[in-house]
Amino acid sequence: MSKRFQILLTAASAALLSTQALAQDLFIQDATVVTEAGQQADTDILIRGGQIAQIGSDLTAPDGMDVLDGAGQWVTPGLFSSFSTLGLVDIGAESSTNDISASDADTSVSERAVDSFNPRTAHIANTRRRGVTHAVVSPSPSGESIFAGTGLIANTTGDFESVINDSAFVHVALGETGSSRAGGSRSAALAQLRAALDDAEGYPSRYRSPTDGDALSRQDAAALAPAVRGEVPMIIAASRASDLLGIVRLKEKYPALDIIILGATEGWQVADALAAADIKVIVDPVQDLPSKFEDLGARYENVLLLDEAGVDYAIANLTSFRVTKPAALGQHAGNAVGNGLSWDEAFAAITSTPAGWFDLPSSDIATGPITNLVVWDGDPLEATSAPVKVWIDGHEQSLESRQSLLRDRYNPLNESDMPHKYR
C-alpha cells in the first residue's frame, strides 16, 4: 500500500468516525418537508448550530449562509429500522465476525446483543447513508432454545456511545424456527415459552438455586422478568395464521405482555384478532410469495388488510439482504404505497410508529434542537432517491462509507493517472 493511499485512507476513516466535524449552519429553500402534520411543499428551513431556528414559507437566508436549493428535495425525520442484526455481524460466513447467535451456549434470554454490538462495522455507515438513523438490533435463536436473547436500540452515528437502550426487548422464535429449536413441534415451542414465562413471573421466589426453574436458569429468568411485567416488549417471530392465534391466546393468559409479532406473513387472515388483542406486528410488504410452508398465505395485500383492521404495524425489510443491512427500508415502504397503502401511513411505519413502541422521543421537524433529520434528493420512498444531508441528535453526519469509498476508488470514470489500487 502506498504512503499516499495510507494517508488518504486515514483521512477518510477520520471523516467517517467524526459526527460533529461537518457544518451546522444551513438554509434549505423550497423543499417538501414531512412533519407530524403531513407534507408541506415549498418550505424553507433555517438551521443554526445544529438547531432549527425557523421553518416556514418565503424565509430569507442570512447573509453569508450556505443555501441548499430544496426544489425537488424532501426533508424528513430519519428512518427507524424496526428489526435488524446490524452491528452483530460483518461477514456472515466468517464465524469470527458473526455474533448473531451462540448455538453451543447454555444461556438464552440473558445473552445481550450489546455485548457483541460493534458500532464501527461497515454495515452501519452503509445503512446511515441510506437515511436510517436508528435501528432495533437483535440476536437470533440457536441451539435448543426458542429465545434469541435481549436486544438493543442504537443510532447509526458509529460512535461507541451510540447504544440508546441496551435492554430494549426480548426476542423469541415460534413457528417453524421455534419448533426446530424446541425439539421438533410447535407444541414443544409453546410449552417451552409458557414454562419460561412462569419461571420469570415467579422470579426470584421460586429460585433457591440457579437451576430451580422449569425452563430457565435463574440468570435467564431475571432477564425475562421485565418482559413478563410488560416493562419491555417481547418480539415473537411467527408467520402462520394458526401460530398468530396461538400468540393471541398467550396474551390472554399473560395480559401484561407487550407483544410485537415479527413476520406475520399470514396476518391478514387473523387481522381482527390481532387488533382486538392489541398485538403489534412487523411486516415486509415485499414478502408476497411463500418461501416456507408457514408462508403459504403470503400476499402483497397483507399490510393493507392489517391497516384496514386497525392493527398497529411497522414495516421492515426482512427479505432484501435480510436484516444484516436494513438500508433498503424506504424502498420496502414504497412498495407498500405502490400496492395501495397511503404514503403517510407507510412513512409512519418506518419512523414514528416503531420509534414510539420503544419509547424514543418524537423526531418531528419543528423549531428547536434537531433530533434526527434527513434531506433527500427526491421522495424517500422511491428506490432512486438518496440522502444528501443527515443529522442525528443535532449533529450532521458523514455520508461516506467503505462502500462509497470503494465505489469512488474503482470508478472507471475516475480521471486519476494512478493505477486503481493506488487511488
Side-chain angles (χ1 to χ4, degrees), residues 264-314:
T265 313
E266 295 186 349
W268 61 273
Q269 297 184 18
V270 293
D272 290 338
L274 295 174
D278 193 25
I279 291 176
K280 311 172 184 72
V281 300
I282 300 172
V283 295
D284 188 336
V286 176
Q287 195 168 4
D288 58 354
L289 292 173
S291 59
K292 297 174 288 186
F293 282 105
E294 64 183 359
D295 294 336
L296 290 177
R299 57 186 291 187
Y300 74 82
E301 298 97 339
N302 187 26
V303 68
L304 305 180
L305 296 172
L306 290 169
D307 179 72
E308 184 179 315
V311 177
D312 200 10
Y313 62 90

Side-chain angles (χ1 to χ4, degrees), residues 128-141:
R128 181 179 66 241
R129 63 188 296 267
R130 294 298 302 170
V132 178
T133 60
H134 290 80
V136 169
V137 179
S138 175
S140 298

Side-chain angles (χ1 to χ4, degrees), residues 24 34 55 78 113 131 149 155 158 175 215 230 247 255 259 262 269 286 291 341 354 381 398 404 417:
Q24 297 294 300
V34 178
I55 181 170
N155 65 41
I247 295 172
I259 295 176
L262 176 68
Q269 297 184 18
V286 176
S291 59
L341 191 66
L381 303 191
S398 170
S404 67
D417 294 331

Side-chain angles (χ1 to χ4, degrees), residues 221-243:
L224 184 59
V228 172
R229 294 192 294 265
E231 296 169 3
V232 299
M234 176 180 286
I235 297 179
I236 304 178
S239 294
R240 199 169 75 178
S242 59
D243 294 333

